[in-house]
Amino acid sequence: MPATARLIRIDAALAAAFGPPPRWLYPAPVEVLVLALLSARTEDAVAMAAHRILRVRFPRWQDLLDADPAVIERLIGRTTWPDRKAQTLQEALRVLQAARGRLELDFLAGWPVSQAAAWLRQLPGVGPKTAASVLLFSRLRMRALPVSTGHLRTAKRLGLVSRRAGAEAAHEPLLAMLPPDWDNDRIERHHWLVKRLGHDHCTDRRPRCGDCPVRNLCPSRGRIRPAPEHRARQLALPFPGPAAGIQAQSGFTSGDATESSANRPSALRLKRTKPSFSNEISGPDVRSRRDLITFPKTEQPEARPPART
């Protein structure tokens, strides 16, 4: 089956399963440029939140050029690689300012798509996906197809592009594969459908092929091995553990609490008290099960009243 015909069948199956996409807004191209730079390897919700924070802090993008990179890094700290993105944002806007005299990209309207994309890729940090996002999702409304990491992964598994194709090499074949009669709205819908497929079913580590809406059209169905889970890096404890000679116990380990019951007065019993912050308390309570440092608990003898006769 030709690639375009397969893509049309896949798009129709996804549209029947996921329904219509949300409504789009078409802001200025510079707004989309900043958002696209923030969204690299980052979830859309996190990137949009970072974009709003920057907009509140810098009502004009001109103010961001003179800002401290450390301030920008703190504002976008939830995104991936915030230190790199803070530097890239300033560099891209400075190059645009030097080239055009102001921060605007509306002059690209009316240009051929290939030339407009080539001009955008001259900006620092702008690749094929960022350039296509600016052309498609801004008010420029040009024919382009952003290929994110999830889109590329899904296209490879569906057999639309080679499994060895990189992100840059896959843009042109996937764009040429689109039917020529598709307008920008249809391309936007296709982009959203494939992106949702990669998010809901065709995930990176454990794809859910059983309920995938295009499982009958996927040559990789049942052949994808789950990727190993990433293990969280264990930080070193700030105190020596059992290997250093400290015996971890489940009870209390300091002060008079270690006194054996044979040496305790028969008329006294032990009572737990609330944590104290004085300097007289004993060391921390080390628990072997969770390796947590908790507030130390001390035991104080309390006289038992004599029994009534």
Side-chain angles (χ1 to χ4, degrees), residues 155 176 179 200:
D200 294 351

Side-chain angles (χ1 to χ4, degrees), residues 190-246:
H190 176 73
H191 169 77
W192 178 80
L193 291 173
V194 177
K195 188 173 182 179
R196 181 167 176 181
L197 174 66
H199 183 271
D200 294 351
H201 299 277
C202 198
T203 57
D204 183 18
R205 299 179 184 176
R206 298 185 180 276
R208 296 184 288 274
C209 300
D211 56 350
C212 178
V214 293
R215 57 185 178 274
N216 296 330
L217 301 173
C218 182
S220 303
R221 180 185 59 178
R223 302 179 182 179
I224 304 174
R225 296 181 179 180
E229 297 288 345
H230 295 290
R231 295 184 178 181
R233 183 169 59 94
Q234 299 294 332
L235 298 178
L237 296 177
F239 55 87
I246 296 182

Side-chain angles (χ1 to χ4, degrees), residues 204-281:
D204 183 18
R205 299 179 184 176
R206 298 185 180 276
R208 296 184 288 274
C209 300
D211 56 350
C212 178
V214 293
R215 57 185 178 274
N216 296 330
L217 301 173
C218 182
S220 303
R221 180 185 59 178
R223 302 179 182 179
I224 304 174
R225 296 181 179 180
E229 297 288 345
H230 295 290
R231 295 184 178 181
R233 183 169 59 94
Q234 299 294 332
L235 298 178
L237 296 177
F239 55 87
I246 296 182
Q247 183 178 3
Q249 300 179 5
S250 59
F252 305 107
T253 61
S254 60
D256 296 335
T258 58
E259 183 183 3
S260 62
S261 58
N263 298 330
R264 296 171 184 168
S266 59
L268 298 179
R269 65 182 179 90
L270 297 179
K271 176 183 178 182
R272 296 182 180 180
T273 59
K274 295 182 179 180
S276 174
F277 295 92
S278 63
N279 296 329
E280 299 178 358
I281 61 176

Side-chain angles (χ1 to χ4, degrees), residues 2 19 47 72 74 106 109 117 135 140-141 166 171 186 205 236 241 269 296:
I72 303 176
R74 288 195 297 269
D106 293 298
L135 297 179
L140 293 175
R141 306 292 290 131
H171 272 79
R186 292 286 280 113
R205 299 179 184 176
R269 65 182 179 90

Side-chain angles (χ1 to χ4, degrees), residues 94-172:
R94 284 169 183 165
V95 172
L96 178 59
Q97 173 79 13
R100 300 297 302 175
R102 56 179 179 172
L103 298 179
E104 60 89 19
L105 290 170
D106 293 298
F107 69 93
L108 295 176
W111 284 32
V113 178
S114 59
Q115 295 183 11
W119 195 96
L120 287 172
R121 294 189 61 178
Q122 296 178 358
L123 300 177
V126 177
K129 180 225 172 186
T130 302
S133 299
V134 173
L135 297 179
L136 180 65
F137 296 121
S138 70
R139 61 191 178 199
L140 293 175
R141 306 292 290 131
M142 292 186 178
R143 183 182 177 87
L145 179 65
V147 180
S148 60
T149 303
H151 194 140
L152 178 62
R153 178 182 66 248
T154 305
K156 288 181 178 181
R157 291 176 178 176
L158 290 173
L160 298 177
V161 294
S162 172
R163 289 186 173 271
R164 298 182 179 180
E168 295 190 10
H171 272 79
E172 291 298 330

